[in-house]
Each structure stands twice: as structure tokens, then as C-alpha cells.
Amino acid sequence: DIVMTQSPDSLAVSLGERATINCKSSQSVLYSSNNKNYLGWYQQKPGQPPKLLIYWASTRESGVPDRFSGSGSGTDFTLTISSLQAEDVAVYYCQQYYSIPFTFGPGTKVDIK
Amino acid sequence: DVQLLESGGGLVQPGGSLRLSCAASGLVFTNYGMSWVRQAPGKGLEWVSVISGGGDSTFYAGSVKGRFTISRDNSKNTLYLQMNSLRAEDTAVYYCAKGEGGSGYSSMNVWGQGTTVTVSS
């Protein structure tokens, strides 16, 4: 199974400042035949289902604000919130869909400082 | 708008069975792989199972393999999860989620609100 790890476990950022979350997979999730990274990022607010933010590691889902961006390839990935807003307080998960079983990272909790 | 509505959760004794349903609307259901994802109280997300759009391919997490069965009825736009031999550690909110492609090897871009399963005596 591919193990997903995230760092940090939690972070507190001032409004308007940058938040950076890292995700690492135990093996590459880059599929060489199409050069796509099978990696997604999700946001989950309390009492709500997860919401897809980013897929293929760096493609923003429709309707997601452009302050959210994804980067990385192979085994190392980053989700960046360029200017944190109050509504961004949530837990963020990365997930690989390269191989079965699809696995999620443990989550990173983002709060306002 | 695509909508997913889960049902069928509840309280069940250890060793018991339960069938979850997920009714989909606003999409050509057969075109998309569908997954079940669960979240134990206060814990993170755990992928449970996926089924391809045509229903011919199914895959499971090791923790549920042999006990849970995913299926779909494309004529009814409904996804199912038959859960047998339930254990306390299966207690969770169960979400159904729509994939972005027919195979199921994709991110999940629409999620239901979830249904709660509690396994306890």
C-alpha cells in the first residue's frame, strides 16, 4: 500500500498570510504513460463532507478560489494557500489514486493565528 | 447540479449487517466510477471501496475485503454498500463520492453528506 504522510500536523497562520502544507507518498504516484500525478487535495470543514480542491496534483477544481494551488511531482507535493482567509479554516487531506487501495494522508489542520 | 444522497445507516450489533444506499441525480450515472469513503469519529478519511461506471470492476480496502460488497444499479442511479460481519471499528460516517472518470482511478469531485453507522452492543 502507498503510505501518505503530511506535514505539519497543524498550523496557525495570520489572515492574509501564506499557508503551506506538504504531502509525501511512499512511492511515486506519477504515471509515466500520461505524465500525470495521481494526487488530489481535499478540504474538510467541521460537520461537512470533504471538498475537492486540486486534482492531478496541480489542477484547480472548478469554482475553487485561485489562492489555492498545488505543486510537486513523483513523491513530494505541496498545497499552498497564498493569502489565508477566515473561511479557509479546515482540515486538508492529500490522497493518492494511483494504486489500490487509494490512501489519504492523516490531514493537516489549518487555523487562524 | 450533481447530488448524492446516502441512506441506510444506523445502529447495528457486532456481527450484524447493513446495506447503505447512495442515490445520485444530475449526472449520467453510468459514466462515472463511484467510491465509498468513511470517517471514524474524530479521525481522518479512509477510502473503503470503488466501482467502475459499468460496474464490472470493484476494489476494496484490506480492512473490509471479504466483508463489504460494493454494487450499483445504473437503471436506478444508485450505489450500494453491503456490509456484513460488522465490527466496532467499522463505526464511522460513510460518504459516497463520485469519481471524475469511468474507471474509478480518479479524484472524487462530488460527495454526499454522509450516513452514520454505529456498531455496538
Side-chain angles (χ1 to χ4, degrees), chain A residues 16-49:
Chain A
E17 295 301 305
R18 179 185 299 260
T20 302
I21 301 169
N22 300 301
C23 172
K24 190 175 183 68
S25 56
S26 61
Q27 62 189 78
S28 176
V29 299
L30 174 63
Y31 192 37
S32 55
S33 66
N34 60 11
N35 201 36
K36 287 186 174 182
N37 288 281
Y38 282 54
L39 189 285
W41 287 98
Y42 300 85
Q43 174 194 65
Q44 188 178 31
K45 298 180 180 179
Q48 295 186 18

PDB file of all heavy atoms in Angstrom, chain A residues 16-49:
ATOM      1  N   GLY A  16      -4.409  36.648   5.645  1.00  0.00           N
ATOM      2  CA  GLY A  16      -3.674  37.274   4.558  1.00  0.00           C
ATOM      3  C   GLY A  16      -2.280  36.707   4.326  1.00  0.00           C
ATOM      4  O   GLY A  16      -1.635  37.041   3.326  1.00  0.00           O
ATOM      5  N   GLU A  17      -1.827  35.853   5.233  1.00  0.00           N
ATOM      6  CA  GLU A  17      -0.502  35.261   5.077  1.00  0.00           C
ATOM      7  C   GLU A  17      -0.590  33.912   4.343  1.00  0.00           C
ATOM      8  O   GLU A  17      -1.665  33.353   4.142  1.00  0.00           O
ATOM      9  CB  GLU A  17       0.165  35.069   6.440  1.00  0.00           C
ATOM     10  CG  GLU A  17       0.464  36.378   7.171  1.00  0.00           C
ATOM     11  CD  GLU A  17       1.390  37.279   6.355  1.00  0.00           C
ATOM     12  OE1 GLU A  17       2.489  36.822   5.971  1.00  0.00           O
ATOM     13  OE2 GLU A  17       0.998  38.445   6.090  1.00  0.00           O
ATOM     14  N   ARG A  18       0.568  33.389   3.974  1.00  0.00           N
ATOM     15  CA  ARG A  18       0.646  32.146   3.204  1.00  0.00           C
ATOM     16  C   ARG A  18       0.642  30.937   4.123  1.00  0.00           C
ATOM     17  O   ARG A  18       1.294  30.940   5.172  1.00  0.00           O
ATOM     18  CB  ARG A  18       1.915  32.153   2.363  1.00  0.00           C
ATOM     19  CG  ARG A  18       2.150  30.903   1.530  1.00  0.00           C
ATOM     20  CD  ARG A  18       3.516  30.992   0.839  1.00  0.00           C
ATOM     21  NE  ARG A  18       3.564  32.146  -0.043  1.00  0.00           N
ATOM     22  CZ  ARG A  18       3.390  32.108  -1.350  1.00  0.00           C
ATOM     23  NH1 ARG A  18       3.148  30.956  -1.958  1.00  0.00           N
ATOM     24  NH2 ARG A  18       3.462  33.208  -2.069  1.00  0.00           N
ATOM     25  N   ALA A  19      -0.096  29.899   3.709  1.00  0.00           N
ATOM     26  CA  ALA A  19      -0.087  28.605   4.405  1.00  0.00           C
ATOM     27  C   ALA A  19       0.412  27.545   3.433  1.00  0.00           C
ATOM     28  O   ALA A  19      -0.041  27.492   2.275  1.00  0.00           O
ATOM     29  CB  ALA A  19      -1.480  28.248   4.895  1.00  0.00           C
ATOM     30  N   THR A  20       1.331  26.717   3.911  1.00  0.00           N
ATOM     31  CA  THR A  20       1.929  25.679   3.063  1.00  0.00           C
ATOM     32  C   THR A  20       1.817  24.326   3.752  1.00  0.00           C
ATOM     33  O   THR A  20       2.223  24.174   4.906  1.00  0.00           O
ATOM     34  CB  THR A  20       3.399  25.993   2.769  1.00  0.00           C
ATOM     35  OG1 THR A  20       3.486  27.263   2.126  1.00  0.00           O
ATOM     36  CG2 THR A  20       4.003  24.920   1.864  1.00  0.00           C
ATOM     37  N   ILE A  21       1.257  23.376   3.034  1.00  0.00           N
ATOM     38  CA  ILE A  21       1.080  22.011   3.547  1.00  0.00           C
ATOM     39  C   ILE A  21       1.820  21.045   2.627  1.00  0.00           C
ATOM     40  O   ILE A  21       1.692  21.135   1.404  1.00  0.00           O
ATOM     41  CB  ILE A  21      -0.410  21.632   3.596  1.00  0.00           C
ATOM     42  CG1 ILE A  21      -1.179  22.607   4.497  1.00  0.00           C
ATOM     43  CG2 ILE A  21      -0.583  20.194   4.097  1.00  0.00           C
ATOM     44  CD1 ILE A  21      -2.686  22.471   4.393  1.00  0.00           C
ATOM     45  N   ASN A  22       2.580  20.151   3.229  1.00  0.00           N
ATOM     46  CA  ASN A  22       3.356  19.188   2.462  1.00  0.00           C
ATOM     47  C   ASN A  22       2.760  17.784   2.551  1.00  0.00           C
ATOM     48  O   ASN A  22       2.200  17.399   3.589  1.00  0.00           O
ATOM     49  CB  ASN A  22       4.797  19.163   2.981  1.00  0.00           C
ATOM     50  CG  ASN A  22       5.468  20.519   2.845  1.00  0.00           C
ATOM     51  OD1 ASN A  22       5.577  21.052   1.745  1.00  0.00           O
ATOM     52  ND2 ASN A  22       5.886  21.089   3.962  1.00  0.00           N
ATOM     53  N   CYS A  23       2.896  17.054   1.483  1.00  0.00           N
ATOM     54  CA  CYS A  23       2.377  15.693   1.398  1.00  0.00           C
ATOM     55  C   CYS A  23       3.446  14.844   0.708  1.00  0.00           C
ATOM     56  O   CYS A  23       4.005  15.246  -0.323  1.00  0.00           O
ATOM     57  CB  CYS A  23       1.084  15.686   0.599  1.00  0.00           C
ATOM     58  SG  CYS A  23       0.426  14.051   0.191  1.00  0.00           S
ATOM     59  N   LYS A  24       3.704  13.694   1.287  1.00  0.00           N
ATOM     60  CA  LYS A  24       4.710  12.802   0.711  1.00  0.00           C
ATOM     61  C   LYS A  24       4.119  11.406   0.574  1.00  0.00           C
ATOM     62  O   LYS A  24       3.466  10.909   1.495  1.00  0.00           O
ATOM     63  CB  LYS A  24       5.951  12.774   1.604  1.00  0.00           C
ATOM     64  CG  LYS A  24       7.150  12.080   0.994  1.00  0.00           C
ATOM     65  CD  LYS A  24       8.368  12.202   1.893  1.00  0.00           C
ATOM     66  CE  LYS A  24       9.604  11.573   1.283  1.00  0.00           C
ATOM     67  NZ  LYS A  24      10.087  12.311   0.087  1.00  0.00           N
ATOM     68  N   SER A  25       4.363  10.776  -0.564  1.00  0.00           N
ATOM     69  CA  SER A  25       3.902   9.407  -0.790  1.00  0.00           C
ATOM     70  C   SER A  25       5.085   8.452  -0.694  1.00  0.00           C
ATOM     71  O   SER A  25       6.213   8.808  -1.034  1.00  0.00           O
ATOM     72  CB  SER A  25       3.230   9.280  -2.157  1.00  0.00           C
ATOM     73  OG  SER A  25       4.092   9.689  -3.194  1.00  0.00           O
ATOM     74  N   SER A  26       4.812   7.231  -0.227  1.00  0.00           N
ATOM     75  CA  SER A  26       5.889   6.258  -0.012  1.00  0.00           C
ATOM     76  C   SER A  26       6.447   5.709  -1.322  1.00  0.00           C
ATOM     77  O   SER A  26       7.509   5.090  -1.326  1.00  0.00           O
ATOM     78  CB  SER A  26       5.396   5.122   0.873  1.00  0.00           C
ATOM     79  OG  SER A  26       4.318   4.432   0.256  1.00  0.00           O
ATOM     80  N   GLN A  27       5.731   5.902  -2.416  1.00  0.00           N
ATOM     81  CA  GLN A  27       6.239   5.589  -3.746  1.00  0.00           C
ATOM     82  C   GLN A  27       5.640   6.567  -4.747  1.00  0.00           C
ATOM     83  O   GLN A  27       4.637   7.229  -4.435  1.00  0.00           O
ATOM     84  CB  GLN A  27       5.945   4.136  -4.130  1.00  0.00           C
ATOM     85  CG  GLN A  27       4.489   3.779  -4.212  1.00  0.00           C
ATOM     86  CD  GLN A  27       4.275   2.283  -4.378  1.00  0.00           C
ATOM     87  OE1 GLN A  27       4.369   1.517  -3.428  1.00  0.00           O
ATOM     88  NE2 GLN A  27       3.987   1.869  -5.607  1.00  0.00           N
ATOM     89  N   SER A  28       6.259   6.649  -5.890  1.00  0.00           N
ATOM     90  CA  SER A  28       5.819   7.626  -6.874  1.00  0.00           C
ATOM     91  C   SER A  28       4.381   7.396  -7.305  1.00  0.00           C
ATOM     92  O   SER A  28       3.938   6.246  -7.473  1.00  0.00           O
ATOM     93  CB  SER A  28       6.722   7.567  -8.109  1.00  0.00           C
ATOM     94  OG  SER A  28       6.249   8.455  -9.100  1.00  0.00           O
ATOM     95  N   VAL A  29       3.640   8.503  -7.461  1.00  0.00           N
ATOM     96  CA  VAL A  29       2.277   8.432  -7.986  1.00  0.00           C
ATOM     97  C   VAL A  29       2.201   9.068  -9.370  1.00  0.00           C
ATOM     98  O   VAL A  29       1.124   9.432  -9.849  1.00  0.00           O
ATOM     99  CB  VAL A  29       1.257   9.090  -7.008  1.00  0.00           C
ATOM    100  CG1 VAL A  29       1.261   8.359  -5.675  1.00  0.00           C
ATOM    101  CG2 VAL A  29       1.558  10.579  -6.818  1.00  0.00           C
ATOM    102  N   LEU A  30       3.365   9.196 -10.007  1.00  0.00           N
ATOM    103  CA  LEU A  30       3.447   9.712 -11.364  1.00  0.00           C
ATOM    104  C   LEU A  30       3.320   8.558 -12.350  1.00  0.00           C
ATOM    105  O   LEU A  30       4.140   7.641 -12.358  1.00  0.00           O
ATOM    106  CB  LEU A  30       4.767  10.444 -11.578  1.00  0.00           C
ATOM    107  CG  LEU A  30       5.058  10.912 -13.004  1.00  0.00           C
ATOM    108  CD1 LEU A  30       4.024  11.931 -13.469  1.00  0.00           C
ATOM    109  CD2 LEU A  30       6.473  11.503 -13.083  1.00  0.00           C
ATOM    110  N   TYR A  31       2.292   8.598 -13.183  1.00  0.00           N
ATOM    111  CA  TYR A  31       2.065   7.574 -14.180  1.00  0.00           C
ATOM    112  C   TYR A  31       2.794   8.002 -15.461  1.00  0.00           C
ATOM    113  O   TYR A  31       2.424   9.004 -16.070  1.00  0.00           O
ATOM    114  CB  TYR A  31       0.564   7.405 -14.406  1.00  0.00           C
ATOM    115  CG  TYR A  31       0.157   6.181 -15.196  1.00  0.00           C
ATOM    116  CD1 TYR A  31       0.825   4.965 -15.056  1.00  0.00           C
ATOM    117  CD2 TYR A  31      -0.906   6.236 -16.093  1.00  0.00           C
ATOM    118  CE1 TYR A  31       0.439   3.847 -15.779  1.00  0.00           C
ATOM    119  CE2 TYR A  31      -1.305   5.131 -16.817  1.00  0.00           C
ATOM    120  CZ  TYR A  31      -0.624   3.929 -16.660  1.00  0.00           C
ATOM    121  OH  TYR A  31      -1.014   2.819 -17.379  1.00  0.00           O
ATOM    122  N   SER A  32       3.796   7.256 -15.836  1.00  0.00           N
ATOM    123  CA  SER A  32       4.695   7.702 -16.907  1.00  0.00           C
ATOM    124  C   SER A  32       4.002   7.785 -18.269  1.00  0.00           C
ATOM    125  O   SER A  32       4.359   8.616 -19.099  1.00  0.00           O
ATOM    126  CB  SER A  32       5.901   6.778 -16.993  1.00  0.00           C
ATOM    127  OG  SER A  32       5.487   5.441 -17.156  1.00  0.00           O
ATOM    128  N   SER A  33       2.990   6.974 -18.495  1.00  0.00           N
ATOM    129  CA  SER A  33       2.386   6.922 -19.832  1.00  0.00           C
ATOM    130  C   SER A  33       1.606   8.197 -20.159  1.00  0.00           C
ATOM    131  O   SER A  33       1.458   8.547 -21.333  1.00  0.00           O
ATOM    132  CB  SER A  33       1.469   5.716 -19.971  1.00  0.00           C
ATOM    133  OG  SER A  33       0.361   5.844 -19.127  1.00  0.00           O
ATOM    134  N   ASN A  34       1.109   8.884 -19.143  1.00  0.00           N
ATOM    135  CA  ASN A  34       0.384  10.135 -19.398  1.00  0.00           C
ATOM    136  C   ASN A  34       0.986  11.330 -18.664  1.00  0.00           C
ATOM    137  O   ASN A  34       0.477  12.446 -18.755  1.00  0.00           O
ATOM    138  CB  ASN A  34      -1.104  10.004 -19.053  1.00  0.00           C
ATOM    139  CG  ASN A  34      -1.352   9.651 -17.596  1.00  0.00           C
ATOM    140  OD1 ASN A  34      -0.445   9.699 -16.772  1.00  0.00           O
ATOM    141  ND2 ASN A  34      -2.593   9.288 -17.272  1.00  0.00           N
ATOM    142  N   ASN A  35       2.087  11.083 -17.935  1.00  0.00           N
ATOM    143  CA  ASN A  35       2.797  12.135 -17.199  1.00  0.00           C
ATOM    144  C   ASN A  35       1.885  12.865 -16.223  1.00  0.00           C
ATOM    145  O   ASN A  35       1.990  14.084 -16.030  1.00  0.00           O
ATOM    146  CB  ASN A  35       3.438  13.143 -18.164  1.00  0.00           C
ATOM    147  CG  ASN A  35       4.573  13.907 -17.510  1.00  0.00           C
ATOM    148  OD1 ASN A  35       5.323  13.356 -16.706  1.00  0.00           O
ATOM    149  ND2 ASN A  35       4.693  15.181 -17.855  1.00  0.00           N
ATOM    150  N   LYS A  36       0.980  12.119 -15.598  1.00  0.00           N
ATOM    151  CA  LYS A  36       0.088  12.729 -14.613  1.00  0.00           C
ATOM    152  C   LYS A  36       0.380  12.170 -13.226  1.00  0.00           C
ATOM    153  O   LYS A  36       0.606  10.969 -13.062  1.00  0.00           O
ATOM    154  CB  LYS A  36      -1.384  12.459 -14.964  1.00  0.00           C
ATOM    155  CG  LYS A  36      -1.886  13.250 -16.157  1.00  0.00           C
ATOM    156  CD  LYS A  36      -3.377  13.047 -16.363  1.00  0.00           C
ATOM    157  CE  LYS A  36      -3.902  13.955 -17.461  1.00  0.00           C
ATOM    158  NZ  LYS A  36      -5.365  13.828 -17.655  1.00  0.00           N
ATOM    159  N   ASN A  37       0.339  13.052 -12.251  1.00  0.00           N
ATOM    160  CA  ASN A  37       0.453  12.655 -10.864  1.00  0.00           C
ATOM    161  C   ASN A  37      -0.941  12.398 -10.301  1.00  0.00           C
ATOM    162  O   ASN A  37      -1.798  13.295 -10.302  1.00  0.00           O
ATOM    163  CB  ASN A  37       1.140  13.750 -10.037  1.00  0.00           C
ATOM    164  CG  ASN A  37       2.613  13.840 -10.349  1.00  0.00           C
ATOM    165  OD1 ASN A  37       3.403  13.032  -9.864  1.00  0.00           O
ATOM    166  ND2 ASN A  37       2.994  14.826 -11.157  1.00  0.00           N
ATOM    167  N   TYR A  38      -1.155  11.178  -9.813  1.00  0.00           N
ATOM    168  CA  TYR A  38      -2.477  10.777  -9.349  1.00  0.00           C
ATOM    169  C   TYR A  38      -2.642  11.193  -7.883  1.00  0.00           C
ATOM    170  O   TYR A  38      -2.678  10.362  -6.969  1.00  0.00           O
ATOM    171  CB  TYR A  38      -2.659   9.278  -9.554  1.00  0.00           C
ATOM    172  CG  TYR A  38      -2.959   8.901 -10.981  1.00  0.00           C
ATOM    173  CD1 TYR A  38      -2.124   9.313 -12.034  1.00  0.00           C
ATOM    174  CD2 TYR A  38      -4.076   8.148 -11.311  1.00  0.00           C
ATOM    175  CE1 TYR A  38      -2.401   8.987 -13.347  1.00  0.00           C
ATOM    176  CE2 TYR A  38      -4.373   7.807 -12.626  1.00  0.00           C
ATOM    177  CZ  TYR A  38      -3.529   8.237 -13.638  1.00  0.00           C
ATOM    178  OH  TYR A  38      -3.808   7.921 -14.944  1.00  0.00           O
ATOM    179  N   LEU A  39      -2.774  12.493  -7.690  1.00  0.00           N
ATOM    180  CA  LEU A  39      -2.762  13.074  -6.354  1.00  0.00           C
ATOM    181  C   LEU A  39      -3.820  14.185  -6.281  1.00  0.00           C
ATOM    182  O   LEU A  39      -3.847  15.073  -7.134  1.00  0.00           O
ATOM    183  CB  LEU A  39      -1.362  13.624  -6.056  1.00  0.00           C
ATOM    184  CG  LEU A  39      -0.944  14.127  -4.654  1.00  0.00           C
ATOM    185  CD1 LEU A  39      -1.541  15.479  -4.336  1.00  0.00           C
ATOM    186  CD2 LEU A  39      -1.282  13.121  -3.570  1.00  0.00           C
ATOM    187  N   GLY A  40      -4.648  14.116  -5.245  1.00  0.00           N
ATOM    188  CA  GLY A  40      -5.650  15.143  -5.036  1.00  0.00           C
ATOM    189  C   GLY A  40      -5.552  15.749  -3.650  1.00  0.00           C
ATOM    190  O   GLY A  40      -4.973  15.148  -2.735  1.00  0.00           O
ATOM    191  N   TRP A  41      -6.092  16.951  -3.519  1.00  0.00           N
ATOM    192  CA  TRP A  41      -6.176  17.654  -2.242  1.00  0.00           C
ATOM    193  C   TRP A  41      -7.644  17.953  -1.926  1.00  0.00           C
ATOM    194  O   TRP A  41      -8.392  18.401  -2.796  1.00  0.00           O
ATOM    195  CB  TRP A  41      -5.415  18.968  -2.303  1.00  0.00           C
ATOM    196  CG  TRP A  41      -3.923  18.846  -2.310  1.00  0.00           C
ATOM    197  CD1 TRP A  41      -3.088  18.882  -3.390  1.00  0.00           C
ATOM    198  CD2 TRP A  41      -3.075  18.703  -1.157  1.00  0.00           C
ATOM    199  NE1 TRP A  41      -1.781  18.764  -2.984  1.00  0.00           N
ATOM    200  CE2 TRP A  41      -1.739  18.653  -1.624  1.00  0.00           C
ATOM    201  CE3 TRP A  41      -3.301  18.620   0.217  1.00  0.00           C
ATOM    202  CZ2 TRP A  41      -0.649  18.509  -0.760  1.00  0.00           C
ATOM    203  CZ3 TRP A  41      -2.227  18.481   1.069  1.00  0.00           C
ATOM    204  CH2 TRP A  41      -0.923  18.431   0.583  1.00  0.00           C
ATOM    205  N   TYR A  42      -8.005  17.726  -0.668  1.00  0.00           N
ATOM    206  CA  TYR A  42      -9.374  17.954  -0.214  1.00  0.00           C
ATOM    207  C   TYR A  42      -9.380  18.852   1.017  1.00  0.00           C
ATOM    208  O   TYR A  42      -8.454  18.803   1.834  1.00  0.00           O
ATOM    209  CB  TYR A  42     -10.053  16.629   0.156  1.00  0.00           C
ATOM    210  CG  TYR A  42     -10.139  15.662  -0.999  1.00  0.00           C
ATOM    211  CD1 TYR A  42      -9.077  14.825  -1.310  1.00  0.00           C
ATOM    212  CD2 TYR A  42     -11.283  15.588  -1.782  1.00  0.00           C
ATOM    213  CE1 TYR A  42      -9.146  13.954  -2.377  1.00  0.00           C
ATOM    214  CE2 TYR A  42     -11.370  14.713  -2.855  1.00  0.00           C
ATOM    215  CZ  TYR A  42     -10.290  13.897  -3.138  1.00  0.00           C
ATOM    216  OH  TYR A  42     -10.365  13.029  -4.198  1.00  0.00           O
ATOM    217  N   GLN A  43     -10.436  19.621   1.134  1.00  0.00           N
ATOM    218  CA  GLN A  43     -10.665  20.485   2.290  1.00  0.00           C
ATOM    219  C   GLN A  43     -11.897  19.965   3.032  1.00  0.00           C
ATOM    220  O   GLN A  43     -12.916  19.678   2.391  1.00  0.00           O
ATOM    221  CB  GLN A  43     -10.934  21.917   1.812  1.00  0.00           C
ATOM    222  CG  GLN A  43     -11.323  22.908   2.888  1.00  0.00           C
ATOM    223  CD  GLN A  43     -11.891  24.190   2.285  1.00  0.00           C
ATOM    224  OE1 GLN A  43     -12.932  24.183   1.656  1.00  0.00           O
ATOM    225  NE2 GLN A  43     -11.171  25.292   2.458  1.00  0.00           N
ATOM    226  N   GLN A  44     -11.811  19.834   4.331  1.00  0.00           N
ATOM    227  CA  GLN A  44     -12.976  19.429   5.103  1.00  0.00           C
ATOM    228  C   GLN A  44     -13.190  20.372   6.280  1.00  0.00           C
ATOM    229  O   GLN A  44     -12.325  20.491   7.142  1.00  0.00           O
ATOM    230  CB  GLN A  44     -12.853  17.998   5.612  1.00  0.00           C
ATOM    231  CG  GLN A  44     -14.157  17.489   6.253  1.00  0.00           C
ATOM    232  CD  GLN A  44     -14.092  16.067   6.727  1.00  0.00           C
ATOM    233  OE1 GLN A  44     -13.037  15.572   7.131  1.00  0.00           O
ATOM    234  NE2 GLN A  44     -15.219  15.367   6.686  1.00  0.00           N
ATOM    235  N   LYS A  45     -14.329  21.028   6.270  1.00  0.00           N
ATOM    236  CA  LYS A  45     -14.719  21.884   7.376  1.00  0.00           C
ATOM    237  C   LYS A  45     -15.551  21.081   8.361  1.00  0.00           C
ATOM    238  O   LYS A  45     -16.172  20.076   7.972  1.00  0.00           O
ATOM    239  CB  LYS A  45     -15.485  23.091   6.852  1.00  0.00           C
ATOM    240  CG  LYS A  45     -14.652  23.964   5.920  1.00  0.00           C
ATOM    241  CD  LYS A  45     -15.423  25.154   5.398  1.00  0.00           C
ATOM    242  CE  LYS A  45     -14.554  25.985   4.472  1.00  0.00           C
ATOM    243  NZ  LYS A  45     -15.268  27.166   3.914  1.00  0.00           N
ATOM    244  N   PRO A  46     -15.592  21.501   9.629  1.00  0.00           N
ATOM    245  CA  PRO A  46     -16.325  20.741  10.652  1.00  0.00           C
ATOM    246  C   PRO A  46     -17.770  20.483  10.259  1.00  0.00           C
ATOM    247  O   PRO A  46     -18.482  21.403   9.837  1.00  0.00           O
ATOM    248  CB  PRO A  46     -16.226  21.640  11.880  1.00  0.00           C
ATOM    249  CG  PRO A  46     -14.972  22.414  11.681  1.00  0.00           C
ATOM    250  CD  PRO A  46     -14.886  22.662  10.206  1.00  0.00           C
ATOM    251  N   GLY A  47     -18.192  19.221  10.397  1.00  0.00           N
ATOM    252  CA  GLY A  47     -19.574  18.855  10.120  1.00  0.00           C
ATOM    253  C   GLY A  47     -19.935  18.784   8.656  1.00  0.00           C
ATOM    254  O   GLY A  47     -21.115  18.600   8.319  1.00  0.00           O
ATOM    255  N   GLN A  48     -18.937  18.914   7.781  1.00  0.00           N
ATOM    256  CA  GLN A  48     -19.202  18.885   6.347  1.00  0.00           C
ATOM    257  C   GLN A  48     -18.443  17.748   5.681  1.00  0.00           C
ATOM    258  O   GLN A  48     -17.431  17.273   6.213  1.00  0.00           O
ATOM    259  CB  GLN A  48     -18.788  20.211   5.706  1.00  0.00           C
ATOM    260  CG  GLN A  48     -19.600  21.406   6.167  1.00  0.00           C
ATOM    261  CD  GLN A  48     -19.237  22.664   5.396  1.00  0.00           C
ATOM    262  OE1 GLN A  48     -18.648  22.619   4.317  1.00  0.00           O
ATOM    263  NE2 GLN A  48     -19.596  23.811   5.951  1.00  0.00           N
ATOM    264  N   PRO A  49     -18.907  17.312   4.506  1.00  0.00           N
ATOM    265  CA  PRO A  49     -18.121  16.326   3.758  1.00  0.00           C
ATOM    266  C   PRO A  49     -16.891  16.997   3.161  1.00  0.00           C
ATOM    267  O   PRO A  49     -16.818  18.226   3.068  1.00  0.00           O
ATOM    268  CB  PRO A  49     -19.083  15.884   2.649  1.00  0.00           C
ATOM    269  CG  PRO A  49     -19.996  17.051   2.454  1.00  0.00           C
ATOM    270  CD  PRO A  49     -20.155  17.682   3.811  1.00  0.00           C
TER     271      PRO A  49
END
